Amino acid sequence: MTITQPGKGICRYPSIMWYTWQVDFWNNIKRLLPGIAYACVVAAIAWLINLFVPLLSSMLVAILLGVTVRNTKLIPVICEPGIAFSAKTILRAGVVLLGFRLSLPAIAALGTGTIVTIICAVAATMAAGYLLTYFMRVSHATGILTTSGTAICGASAVAGISPVVSARSREDADDAVATAIACVTVFGTLSLVALPAAAHALHLSPTQAAVWLGASIHEVGQVVAAANIYDPAISDLATATKLGRVACLAIVVAVVGIIERRVVEVRHEQSEKASSGKRPPLVPGFVVGFLVAVVLASVFASIPTVNSIFNTLGGTVATLLLTVAMGAMGAGVNLRNVIKSGGRALVLGIILSVLIAAVSLGTVLLLVD
C-alpha cells in the first residue's frame, strides 16, 4: 500500500483520499482566510458609508478604500491569496446572484417599445464604446469596462464583464476596473440629477419619462433616486426598465468574450495558452450560472415566498458579494496608473453618457406613448 502526502497524488483507498481532501481543504481555508477577512472588513465599512450617504455606491467606496490601503502599503503579505480569491471567485458568485433579481415575464411585460429602446441603447453604446476606445487611444480594458458600465448597470456591469476583458488586455486589470467604476459612478450621479429636470423640460409623459430614466441612467439605485425626483409614481416602471438593461449583461459578456478571444488569437497575446492548446470558453461558467438564476427566478416568480428569497439573493446578497470583491480589486490598484489613464476615460464616459441618453430619448419619443 502506498500512502501519498496531502496534495501530492491520488490515493486508491477512500479513507486516505478523504483524509487528503480534508487536509487540503483546511490548508486552503487557512491560506485564504486573512485576505477574505480583509475584503469583508472593507465591504462592511463601505456598506455603512452607503447607508448614511446613499448616493455613494458601496462598490465605489469599497474600491476607493482598497486603493487607499494598497497605496499606503498597509496590506500584509499573508492577505494576498485571499484578496486574489475575493477579486475573482467572490466576484463571479455575486454576478451569478444578480440573475435572481430578473424575471423574463416581467421584462416581457414592459412592451415592445420599451424593449426596443433598451436594445438600441445598449447596442449603440457598446458599438460606440469599442470605436471610441480605439480612436481615442483609451487603454483597452479601461475603455471597454467604462463602456459596459455605461451601457448596462454601472459598477455591477464593470464587475461582471471584467473577467472576460481584463485577463486579455495588457494593462493592469484592477487599475482598469477602478477607473471604469469611478467614471460610471460620477456620470451616473450627474445623470440622476440632470435627466429628471430634462424630462420635465421636454414635457415627456410619465411613461416616457420612466422608460427614458431607466434606459439611460447607470446604476439601479440611481434610477430609483431619479424616478423619485421626477415623480415617485413612475419608480416601478423606471426600475423595471433598468432591470431590462441588466438582463442584457449575459449577452454582452458572451459577445465581448468572443471578441476578446478573437483579438487574443490574432495578436498572439497568450502564447502560453496557445502553445498548450487551451482556450478560454466562449461563454464563461459564471455567465451560465447567471442565466440559470434568471430561469429559476422566472419559473418561480409567481410564488411570493420564493420570489422574496430570490429578490434578497439578487439584491442585498449580490451587492454584498460584489462589494467584497471590489474591496479586493481596489487592493490591486496602482494609483499612479489610474491617474495616468483616467483623463481619457473620463472624456469617454462623458461622451457615452450623453450618447445613451440621446439614443434612449429618440427611441422613447418614437415608440413609447
Side-chain angles (χ1 to χ4, degrees):
M1 173 176 122
T2 302
I3 302 177
T4 58
Q5 295 180 359
K8 301 280 184 171
I10 299 175
C11 301
R12 296 181 181 179
Y13 300 97
S15 60
I16 299 177
M17 292 176 66
W18 173 247
Y19 169 77
T20 301
W21 180 87
Q22 280 187 310
V23 172
D24 285 345
F25 175 78
W26 288 112
N27 283 343
N28 281 329
I29 291 295
K30 291 176 183 177
R31 184 172 61 90
L32 298 176
L33 193 57
I36 294 174
Y38 154 81
C40 289
V41 169
V42 169
I45 296 171
W47 191 270
L48 287 173
I49 292 174
N50 172 253
L51 288 178
F52 289 100
V53 189
L55 289 181
L56 286 178
S57 162
S58 62
M59 284 181 266
L60 174 65
V61 175
I63 205 165
L64 290 176
L65 289 173
V67 170
T68 302
V69 176
R70 169 63 71 189
N71 287 272
T72 51
K73 300 180 180 180
L74 296 176
I75 300 177
V77 176
I78 194 174
C79 289
E80 299 297 348
I83 289 174
F85 175 86
S86 300
K88 182 177 180 181
T89 304
I90 293 180
L91 167 67
R92 295 181 179 188
V95 174
V96 169
L97 292 183
L98 281 176
F100 283 113
R101 73 189 303 174
L102 302 174
S103 167
L104 296 178
I107 293 169
L110 290 172
T112 303
T114 301
I115 293 173
V116 171
T117 297
I118 292 168
I119 293 171
C120 289
V122 172
T125 305
M126 291 302 302
Y130 260 99
L131 291 174
L132 290 171
T133 295
Y134 176 77
F135 287 111
M136 291 174 62
R137 297 182 180 179
V138 179
S139 297
H140 180 70
T142 300
I144 303 310
L145 292 177
T146 301
T147 299
S148 304
T150 303
I152 304 172
C153 54
S156 298
V158 174
I161 293 176
S162 62
V164 299
V165 176
S166 302
R168 295 161 173 75
S169 59
R170 292 178 178 177
E171 75 268 30
D172 189 282
D174 295 335
D175 293 350
V177 170
T179 304
I181 287 181
C183 288
V184 298
T185 301
V186 168
F187 297 120
T189 302
L190 291 176
S191 296
L192 83 84
V193 175
L195 294 192
H200 280 296
L202 292 168
H203 303 292
L204 299 182
S205 70
T207 300
Q208 289 176 325
V211 174
W212 188 39
L213 297 178
S216 303
I217 299 175
H218 304 353
E219 299 269 1
V220 176
Q222 292 168 345
V223 170
V224 174
N228 280 283
I229 290 172
Y230 179 88
D231 182 354
I234 71 166
S235 182
D236 288 346
L237 178 56
T239 303
T241 302
K242 177 61 188 177
L243 292 178
R245 278 169 69 194
V246 177
C248 297
L249 178 62
I251 298 172
V252 172
V253 170
V255 172
V256 170
I258 291 170
I259 294 172
E260 296 297 310
R261 187 172 185 253
R262 180 59 181 162
V263 169
V264 168
E265 291 174 350
V266 171
R267 295 181 180 177
H268 302 288
E269 290 179 348
Q270 289 188 332
S271 57
E272 292 183 3
K273 286 188 176 182
S275 62
S276 66
K278 295 180 180 179
R279 291 183 177 184
L282 286 176
V283 181
F286 71 91
V287 175
V288 175
F290 175 89
L291 292 173
V292 170
V294 172
V295 171
L296 289 173
S298 302
V299 170
F300 295 102
S302 60
I303 304 176
T305 303
V306 177
N307 191 44
S308 176
I309 294 171
F310 284 169
N311 284 336
T312 301
L313 289 175
T316 304
V317 178
T319 302
L320 279 171
L321 291 180
L322 291 174
T323 303
V324 170
M326 289 302 102
M329 295 189 84
V333 170
N334 184 319
L335 195 55
R336 291 181 181 178
N337 292 344
V338 173
I339 295 172
K340 183 178 178 181
S341 64
R344 290 179 181 175
L346 284 171
V347 176
L348 175 64
I350 293 172
I351 295 172
L352 293 178
S353 295
V354 172
L355 174 67
I356 194 170
V359 171
S360 301
L361 178 61
T363 50
V364 162
L365 291 174
L366 286 172
L367 303 173
V368 179
D369 295 327

